[in-house]
Amino acid sequence: MFRSVASFSFILVLALVFSLPSRAQAFSLATPEARGVAVNLGQSYDPKLAFGFTQISLMALYDYAEFWHRPAPQGLRFKLEGSIGVADDSRARLLMSVNMLAHDYIDFLRYRNLSPYYEAGIGIVYNDFQVDGQGLRINFNPQAGIGVQVDNPGGRNWYLALRAYHISNANLHHDNRGINAVMLQTGLMF
């Protein structure tokens, strides 16, 4: 078990080091374009209907190029998100994650105050339970989804998103039974 956790930690540290921008600029934090709070409701579908979950999320949305100090497509955003809540696999258990996602608006589908978007990214998730064959409680958490933002003139924008949600240890442990779920997220940006 220790060897698997050590391997996982080492790979995570390497991934973070190689993904950071170079030079001293890397440590100057960009100012978020928006912050937000959301409620996540989810249900696993593989393996079976193993558990449902509810979380509270906090997020910050940045201009991608400004955050990473690298050229990026016009309009691309970078979202940092932290979520904490409970999963119910016949008893309430802790489920928390930290995620980073690329977030982009679909300009040609904008209509009045509705701004559709798509996003995808990865994170780290801790679940205080395991399904048969899962192996670890700390896992990777890739996600992808679509959503719509309702823009209000006062600056408090609502959003609603549907995401595909996956939990897996990427074969860092010989038991790697992944979990697949769908998640509905509704939130408020300020």
Side-chain angles (χ1 to χ4, degrees):
M1 174 72 174
F2 175 76
R3 187 176 193 186
S4 297
V5 172
S7 298
F8 179 78
S9 300
F10 177 72
I11 290 170
L12 178 62
V13 169
L14 280 178
L16 287 173
V17 167
F18 286 113
S19 69
L20 287 175
S22 59
R23 302 179 298 283
Q25 288 181 338
F27 300 103
S28 65
L29 293 178
T31 303
E33 292 180 358
R35 293 179 178 89
V37 62
V39 174
N40 304 335
L41 301 173
Q43 177 64 56
S44 70
Y45 61 87
D46 178 36
K48 302 181 229 165
L49 298 177
F51 66 92
F53 62 92
T54 304
Q55 297 175 301
I56 297 292
S57 289
L58 298 176
M59 70 85 163
L61 193 62
Y62 298 89
D63 177 89
Y64 196 97
E66 184 181 331
F67 187 90
W68 290 107
H69 305 288
R70 299 263 193 261
Q74 181 72 25
L76 186 62
R77 304 290 184 266
F78 181 71
K79 183 188 278 189
L80 290 176
E81 183 178 82
S83 303
I84 188 165
V86 295
D88 184 6
D89 70 337
S90 75
R91 61 195 187 278
R93 304 302 295 259
L94 178 66
L95 179 67
M96 63 183 182
S97 63
V98 177
N99 303 297
M100 57 184 186
L101 301 108
H103 176 100
D104 200 4
Y105 293 98
I106 308 169
D107 290 329
F108 72 92
L109 290 178
R110 285 184 194 240
Y111 180 73
R112 297 187 185 199
N113 65 335
L114 300 178
S115 300
Y117 64 87
Y118 61 94
E119 57 190 2
I122 193 163
I124 301 295
V125 63
Y126 171 79
N127 49 304
D128 190 30
F129 63 92
Q130 292 175 293
V131 298
D132 288 337
Q134 186 177 358
L136 300 173
R137 291 177 188 242
I138 298 174
N139 293 281
F140 293 105
N141 186 209
Q143 299 180 44
I146 57 171
V148 65
Q149 178 179 310
V150 181
D151 300 318
N152 291 316
R156 292 185 184 265
N157 301 328
W158 289 93
Y159 61 98
L160 179 68
L162 181 64
R163 289 190 193 165
Y165 186 96
H166 180 72
I167 296 174
S168 171
N169 66 41
N171 288 322
L172 293 176
H173 188 275
H174 66 293
D175 288 332
N176 185 29
R177 175 61 169 108
I179 300 171
N180 294 306
V182 291
M183 181 179 80
L184 181 66
Q185 182 178 61
T186 184
L188 177 67
M189 291 184 195
F190 44 88

